[in-house]
Amino acid sequence: MSRGWGAACVLALLSACSGGLEPLSGEEALTHLDPGGSDSSVLTSLAPEPSYAHAVDSTSTAGVLEPERALGPPDGQAAMVLNLPGAVLVLDMGEGTEGTGDLNVSYRNATLEVLTWVEFLRADKSVITTGPLRLANLGLGTHVAVVPYSEKPVPYRYVRMTGVLALYWVDAVRNMGSGGLTCGDGQLNEGETCDDANRTSGDGCSRGCQQEAGFRCEGTPSVCTDIDECAEGLGNCAAGFSCINKPGSFFCWEGVCRPPHSVCNNQCFNLSTDKENCGRCGNRCGWRDVCARGVCKTIGKLAFTLSWSRPGNGDLIVRAPGGIHYSAQNPGPEGEELFVFDDQDGKGPEVVYWAPGVEPDLGDYNICFEAKSFDPAPSHDHPVSASATYLGPWNGTTHLGSTTLTSHSRGGMECGRPTIGFVGRMTYWGRFAPESSGP
């Protein structure tokens, strides 16, 4: 394409899309483009201005008119990035004044809402990361959009912007982290919202010296403390849910997570009976153990556990051979070394187990779930499901069965098929032959 034909195309675009800007002549429009493909690395430069772009790089293309207008602080004069494929504006932040923070882009006269991407480049032009540039204000005057830089405090030498389906004008770009290499010195510098004298994220002040969500940082060096959203009324949980604070955030737990329950990995566990969190979060019992009152206990030849789907008072019922029912309300005769652990406001598990050295009765064992007290009450709209496991002398924990209730259970029920709440049956003859559950 000849130079004259290229100028004519540019003028046609300007007259159609300029939205009231004064059109440039063909010569004026091309005055600041690279004349003749010079191998100089810089097209146009300004005296250094801290934080702002210093020069237009030679990799900028003819799809950008008057690119030098994007240098220095905003002055109402802007480079035009045409809506042409391959339109690229590359700005040099300067050797020794590389960027380390978010990028403020001052822009004017966007004809449409623009969403494009800015590439942050090293001195060798390799890409460090990209950030979204959204130009949403279509009014007159100069506006500012912030492009987040996710790799603070890694320095970037260049920023590269590309053309999109609409024209936009760039007045200035400013690195908000100039001096950002001082991040970690314990002093608040330009572009920093905190500095806790380290470059470690997750402690409230990020490795790029930005205050992290859910923390409050004060002082020099910064001391960052977790914001307790629940205590400060910032946790907007729905009715029936409890606000549970965690470092940097919170979550909503259905029901109430109170002792002996505790929050572990964003879930509420009964530390008295949960094998994976026995006594404390992450304390896992061995395969021949149950968790009893927060201590891992090695069982004898038989143990049953029952958990249910939402917080409330549920009961594990074990009907032993001979018709004896073991539960929290009937733990069995003294001296039989049978142990029962109750959960009245969580999701279980409840446990019934025989101590080492005690031989369980031979025969059938029926397992049932009694829904004693739940809010809302079990119904078709708010069912409660339960699942049981057993642990025998030669096998690990095995699923026994499950059931779903849509009404509160009646006390004193006979546990067995087809009783409401029946979970499953197994037969103990020194080895196990579990029977599938079902009403």
mmCIF file of all heavy atoms in Angstrom, residues 165-196:
data_model
loop_
_atom_site.group_PDB
_atom_site.id
_atom_site.type_symbol
_atom_site.label_atom_id
_atom_site.label_comp_id
_atom_site.label_asym_id
_atom_site.label_seq_id
_atom_site.Cartn_x
_atom_site.Cartn_y
_atom_site.Cartn_z
ATOM 1 N N LEU A 165 -12.698 -2.626 18.457
ATOM 2 C CA LEU A 165 -13.734 -2.282 17.477
ATOM 3 C C LEU A 165 -14.154 -0.825 17.543
ATOM 4 O O LEU A 165 -14.991 -0.389 16.765
ATOM 5 C CB LEU A 165 -14.949 -3.194 17.687
ATOM 6 C CG LEU A 165 -14.697 -4.682 17.429
ATOM 7 C CD1 LEU A 165 -15.976 -5.472 17.701
ATOM 8 C CD2 LEU A 165 -14.220 -4.911 16.007
ATOM 9 N N ALA A 166 -13.621 -0.057 18.475
ATOM 10 C CA ALA A 166 -13.973 1.350 18.586
ATOM 11 C C ALA A 166 -12.705 2.170 18.760
ATOM 12 O O ALA A 166 -11.688 1.684 19.258
ATOM 13 C CB ALA A 166 -14.910 1.579 19.776
ATOM 14 N N LEU A 167 -12.760 3.412 18.319
ATOM 15 C CA LEU A 167 -11.644 4.334 18.534
ATOM 16 C C LEU A 167 -11.510 4.665 20.013
ATOM 17 O O LEU A 167 -12.504 4.709 20.739
ATOM 18 C CB LEU A 167 -11.882 5.644 17.776
ATOM 19 C CG LEU A 167 -11.997 5.603 16.247
ATOM 20 C CD1 LEU A 167 -12.398 6.975 15.741
ATOM 21 C CD2 LEU A 167 -10.686 5.181 15.624
ATOM 22 N N TYR A 168 -10.272 4.885 20.459
ATOM 23 C CA TYR A 168 -10.086 5.479 21.779
ATOM 24 C C TYR A 168 -8.809 6.313 21.776
ATOM 25 O O TYR A 168 -7.911 6.115 20.953
ATOM 26 C CB TYR A 168 -10.111 4.430 22.887
ATOM 27 C CG TYR A 168 -8.996 3.402 22.893
ATOM 28 C CD1 TYR A 168 -7.859 3.569 23.683
ATOM 29 C CD2 TYR A 168 -9.090 2.228 22.151
ATOM 30 C CE1 TYR A 168 -6.860 2.616 23.735
ATOM 31 C CE2 TYR A 168 -8.103 1.270 22.176
ATOM 32 C CZ TYR A 168 -6.979 1.469 22.979
ATOM 33 O OH TYR A 168 -6.002 0.519 23.010
ATOM 34 N N TRP A 169 -8.742 7.283 22.692
ATOM 35 C CA TRP A 169 -7.653 8.254 22.746
ATOM 36 C C TRP A 169 -6.933 8.113 24.085
ATOM 37 O O TRP A 169 -7.574 8.141 25.158
ATOM 38 C CB TRP A 169 -8.185 9.682 22.619
ATOM 39 C CG TRP A 169 -8.624 10.059 21.236
ATOM 40 C CD1 TRP A 169 -7.941 10.812 20.334
ATOM 41 C CD2 TRP A 169 -9.859 9.724 20.600
ATOM 42 N NE1 TRP A 169 -8.671 10.962 19.172
ATOM 43 C CE2 TRP A 169 -9.855 10.300 19.302
ATOM 44 C CE3 TRP A 169 -10.980 8.989 20.976
ATOM 45 C CZ2 TRP A 169 -10.907 10.179 18.412
ATOM 46 C CZ3 TRP A 169 -12.028 8.839 20.095
ATOM 47 C CH2 TRP A 169 -11.983 9.441 18.824
ATOM 48 N N VAL A 170 -5.616 7.965 24.058
ATOM 49 C CA VAL A 170 -4.811 7.820 25.267
ATOM 50 C C VAL A 170 -4.046 9.112 25.508
ATOM 51 O O VAL A 170 -3.222 9.528 24.694
ATOM 52 C CB VAL A 170 -3.839 6.628 25.145
ATOM 53 C CG1 VAL A 170 -2.984 6.509 26.407
ATOM 54 C CG2 VAL A 170 -4.608 5.337 24.895
ATOM 55 N N ASP A 171 -4.329 9.765 26.642
ATOM 56 C CA ASP A 171 -3.677 11.027 27.006
ATOM 57 C C ASP A 171 -2.391 10.775 27.780
ATOM 58 O O ASP A 171 -1.392 11.472 27.591
ATOM 59 C CB ASP A 171 -4.651 11.857 27.854
ATOM 60 C CG ASP A 171 -4.205 13.304 27.997
ATOM 61 O OD1 ASP A 171 -3.005 13.573 27.796
ATOM 62 O OD2 ASP A 171 -5.049 14.151 28.318
ATOM 63 N N ALA A 172 -2.392 9.797 28.669
ATOM 64 C CA ALA A 172 -1.217 9.509 29.497
ATOM 65 C C ALA A 172 -1.371 8.144 30.140
ATOM 66 O O ALA A 172 -2.493 7.638 30.316
ATOM 67 C CB ALA A 172 -1.040 10.573 30.574
ATOM 68 N N VAL A 173 -0.245 7.528 30.485
ATOM 69 C CA VAL A 173 -0.250 6.319 31.303
ATOM 70 C C VAL A 173 0.698 6.555 32.475
ATOM 71 O O VAL A 173 1.789 7.115 32.305
ATOM 72 C CB VAL A 173 0.166 5.057 30.511
ATOM 73 C CG1 VAL A 173 -0.826 4.778 29.407
ATOM 74 C CG2 VAL A 173 1.567 5.177 29.958
ATOM 75 N N ARG A 174 0.284 6.162 33.641
ATOM 76 C CA ARG A 174 1.086 6.404 34.840
ATOM 77 C C ARG A 174 1.222 5.125 35.652
ATOM 78 O O ARG A 174 0.240 4.462 35.959
ATOM 79 C CB ARG A 174 0.434 7.480 35.710
ATOM 80 C CG ARG A 174 1.272 7.838 36.921
ATOM 81 C CD ARG A 174 0.576 8.838 37.810
ATOM 82 N NE ARG A 174 1.433 9.258 38.902
ATOM 83 C CZ ARG A 174 1.045 10.000 39.937
ATOM 84 N NH1 ARG A 174 -0.214 10.426 40.009
ATOM 85 N NH2 ARG A 174 1.895 10.330 40.897
ATOM 86 N N ASN A 175 2.453 4.776 35.963
ATOM 87 C CA ASN A 175 2.739 3.651 36.837
ATOM 88 C C ASN A 175 2.516 4.091 38.279
ATOM 89 O O ASN A 175 3.165 5.019 38.763
ATOM 90 C CB ASN A 175 4.197 3.203 36.624
ATOM 91 C CG ASN A 175 4.752 2.488 37.833
ATOM 92 O OD1 ASN A 175 4.077 1.667 38.423
ATOM 93 N ND2 ASN A 175 5.990 2.814 38.197
ATOM 94 N N MET A 176 1.574 3.443 38.948
ATOM 95 C CA MET A 176 1.269 3.824 40.333
ATOM 96 C C MET A 176 2.194 3.160 41.333
ATOM 97 O O MET A 176 2.008 3.300 42.538
ATOM 98 C CB MET A 176 -0.189 3.475 40.653
ATOM 99 C CG MET A 176 -1.182 4.213 39.777
ATOM 100 S SD MET A 176 -0.930 5.999 39.773
ATOM 101 C CE MET A 176 -1.324 6.389 41.480
ATOM 102 N N GLY A 177 3.210 2.463 40.841
ATOM 103 C CA GLY A 177 4.160 1.834 41.754
ATOM 104 C C GLY A 177 5.566 2.344 41.566
ATOM 105 O O GLY A 177 6.508 1.625 41.853
ATOM 106 N N SER A 178 5.759 3.563 41.035
ATOM 107 C CA SER A 178 7.106 4.114 40.935
ATOM 108 C C SER A 178 7.733 4.091 42.299
ATOM 109 O O SER A 178 7.131 4.460 43.300
ATOM 110 C CB SER A 178 7.076 5.549 40.404
ATOM 111 O OG SER A 178 6.821 5.560 39.033
ATOM 112 N N GLY A 179 8.963 3.658 42.347
ATOM 113 C CA GLY A 179 9.600 3.467 43.630
ATOM 114 C C GLY A 179 9.141 2.190 44.295
ATOM 115 O O GLY A 179 9.477 1.930 45.433
ATOM 116 N N GLY A 180 8.342 1.360 43.568
ATOM 117 C CA GLY A 180 7.790 0.165 44.155
ATOM 118 C C GLY A 180 8.828 -0.870 44.539
ATOM 119 O O GLY A 180 8.537 -1.800 45.275
ATOM 120 N N LEU A 181 10.083 -0.744 44.014
ATOM 121 C CA LEU A 181 11.129 -1.656 44.426
ATOM 122 C C LEU A 181 11.476 -1.474 45.888
ATOM 123 O O LEU A 181 12.229 -2.235 46.464
ATOM 124 C CB LEU A 181 12.361 -1.473 43.541
ATOM 125 C CG LEU A 181 12.163 -1.887 42.072
ATOM 126 C CD1 LEU A 181 13.429 -1.632 41.283
ATOM 127 C CD2 LEU A 181 11.763 -3.340 41.969
ATOM 128 N N THR A 182 10.956 -0.408 46.515
ATOM 129 C CA THR A 182 11.153 -0.211 47.945
ATOM 130 C C THR A 182 10.099 -0.963 48.746
ATOM 131 O O THR A 182 10.108 -0.902 49.970
ATOM 132 C CB THR A 182 11.085 1.280 48.306
ATOM 133 O OG1 THR A 182 9.805 1.794 47.924
ATOM 134 C CG2 THR A 182 12.166 2.066 47.581
ATOM 135 N N CYS A 183 9.195 -1.666 48.081
ATOM 136 C CA CYS A 183 8.203 -2.471 48.783
ATOM 137 C C CYS A 183 8.917 -3.471 49.685
ATOM 138 O O CYS A 183 9.816 -4.193 49.246
ATOM 139 C CB CYS A 183 7.315 -3.207 47.777
ATOM 140 S SG CYS A 183 6.147 -4.380 48.521
ATOM 141 N N GLY A 184 8.529 -3.488 50.933
ATOM 142 C CA GLY A 184 9.153 -4.374 51.892
ATOM 143 C C GLY A 184 10.118 -3.676 52.828
ATOM 144 O O GLY A 184 10.698 -4.318 53.710
ATOM 145 N N ASP A 185 10.274 -2.335 52.650
ATOM 146 C CA ASP A 185 11.197 -1.610 53.524
ATOM 147 C C ASP A 185 10.528 -1.072 54.787
ATOM 148 O O ASP A 185 11.153 -0.407 55.614
ATOM 149 C CB ASP A 185 11.883 -0.463 52.776
ATOM 150 C CG ASP A 185 10.913 0.639 52.340
ATOM 151 O OD1 ASP A 185 9.693 0.511 52.597
ATOM 152 O OD2 ASP A 185 11.382 1.625 51.740
ATOM 153 N N GLY A 186 9.222 -1.346 54.942
ATOM 154 C CA GLY A 186 8.523 -0.914 56.138
ATOM 155 C C GLY A 186 8.030 0.517 56.094
ATOM 156 O O GLY A 186 7.436 0.998 57.066
ATOM 157 N N GLN A 187 8.236 1.200 54.966
ATOM 158 C CA GLN A 187 7.792 2.585 54.800
ATOM 159 C C GLN A 187 6.735 2.659 53.701
ATOM 160 O O GLN A 187 6.830 1.946 52.707
ATOM 161 C CB GLN A 187 8.971 3.496 54.433
ATOM 162 C CG GLN A 187 10.105 3.492 55.445
ATOM 163 C CD GLN A 187 9.688 4.087 56.780
ATOM 164 O OE1 GLN A 187 8.987 5.102 56.833
ATOM 165 N NE2 GLN A 187 10.106 3.443 57.870
ATOM 166 N N LEU A 188 5.741 3.520 53.887
ATOM 167 C CA LEU A 188 4.721 3.692 52.857
ATOM 168 C C LEU A 188 5.266 4.577 51.754
ATOM 169 O O LEU A 188 5.580 5.754 51.979
ATOM 170 C CB LEU A 188 3.450 4.307 53.451
ATOM 171 C CG LEU A 188 2.510 3.348 54.189
ATOM 172 C CD1 LEU A 188 1.325 4.114 54.763
ATOM 173 C CD2 LEU A 188 2.016 2.253 53.254
ATOM 174 N N ASN A 189 5.399 4.017 50.548
ATOM 175 C CA ASN A 189 5.885 4.745 49.390
ATOM 176 C C ASN A 189 4.760 4.926 48.376
ATOM 177 O O ASN A 189 3.672 4.350 48.523
ATOM 178 C CB ASN A 189 7.058 3.978 48.747
ATOM 179 C CG ASN A 189 8.202 3.774 49.724
ATOM 180 O OD1 ASN A 189 8.890 4.705 50.086
ATOM 181 N ND2 ASN A 189 8.372 2.528 50.162
ATOM 182 N N GLU A 190 5.022 5.719 47.357
ATOM 183 C CA GLU A 190 4.018 5.974 46.332
ATOM 184 C C GLU A 190 3.517 4.670 45.737
ATOM 185 O O GLU A 190 4.291 3.784 45.379
ATOM 186 C CB GLU A 190 4.604 6.849 45.225
ATOM 187 C CG GLU A 190 3.586 7.199 44.142
ATOM 188 C CD GLU A 190 4.213 8.003 43.005
ATOM 189 O OE1 GLU A 190 5.425 8.250 43.059
ATOM 190 O OE2 GLU A 190 3.484 8.350 42.081
ATOM 191 N N GLY A 191 2.186 4.535 45.638
ATOM 192 C CA GLY A 191 1.590 3.349 45.059
ATOM 193 C C GLY A 191 1.378 2.218 46.040
ATOM 194 O O GLY A 191 0.797 1.196 45.688
ATOM 195 N N GLU A 192 1.853 2.352 47.287
ATOM 196 C CA GLU A 192 1.672 1.323 48.291
ATOM 197 C C GLU A 192 0.500 1.679 49.217
ATOM 198 O O GLU A 192 0.347 2.843 49.599
ATOM 199 C CB GLU A 192 2.935 1.164 49.145
ATOM 200 C CG GLU A 192 4.155 0.732 48.363
ATOM 201 C CD GLU A 192 5.398 0.644 49.228
ATOM 202 O OE1 GLU A 192 5.355 1.083 50.405
ATOM 203 O OE2 GLU A 192 6.426 0.152 48.734
ATOM 204 N N THR A 193 -0.285 0.692 49.566
ATOM 205 C CA THR A 193 -1.352 0.913 50.543
ATOM 206 C C THR A 193 -0.986 0.325 51.894
ATOM 207 O O THR A 193 -1.713 0.514 52.877
ATOM 208 C CB THR A 193 -2.676 0.300 50.061
ATOM 209 O OG1 THR A 193 -2.487 -1.103 49.826
ATOM 210 C CG2 THR A 193 -3.141 0.966 48.766
ATOM 211 N N CYS A 194 0.138 -0.394 51.953
ATOM 212 C CA CYS A 194 0.662 -0.919 53.208
ATOM 213 C C CYS A 194 2.103 -1.342 52.959
ATOM 214 O O CYS A 194 2.527 -1.502 51.804
ATOM 215 C CB CYS A 194 -0.162 -2.123 53.700
ATOM 216 S SG CYS A 194 -0.157 -3.530 52.547
ATOM 217 N N ASP A 195 2.876 -1.499 54.005
ATOM 218 C CA ASP A 195 4.226 -2.055 53.906
ATOM 219 C C ASP A 195 4.582 -2.619 55.269
ATOM 220 O O ASP A 195 4.847 -1.886 56.221
ATOM 221 C CB ASP A 195 5.248 -1.003 53.483
ATOM 222 C CG ASP A 195 6.566 -1.630 53.034
ATOM 223 O OD1 ASP A 195 6.976 -2.629 53.673
ATOM 224 O OD2 ASP A 195 7.178 -1.143 52.081
ATOM 225 N N ASP A 196 4.528 -3.951 55.374
ATOM 226 C CA ASP A 196 4.764 -4.610 56.655
ATOM 227 C C ASP A 196 6.171 -5.167 56.768
ATOM 228 O O ASP A 196 6.437 -6.076 57.549
ATOM 229 C CB ASP A 196 3.729 -5.709 56.892
ATOM 230 C CG ASP A 196 3.728 -6.768 55.794
ATOM 231 O OD1 ASP A 196 4.461 -6.597 54.789
ATOM 232 O OD2 ASP A 196 3.006 -7.766 55.929
#
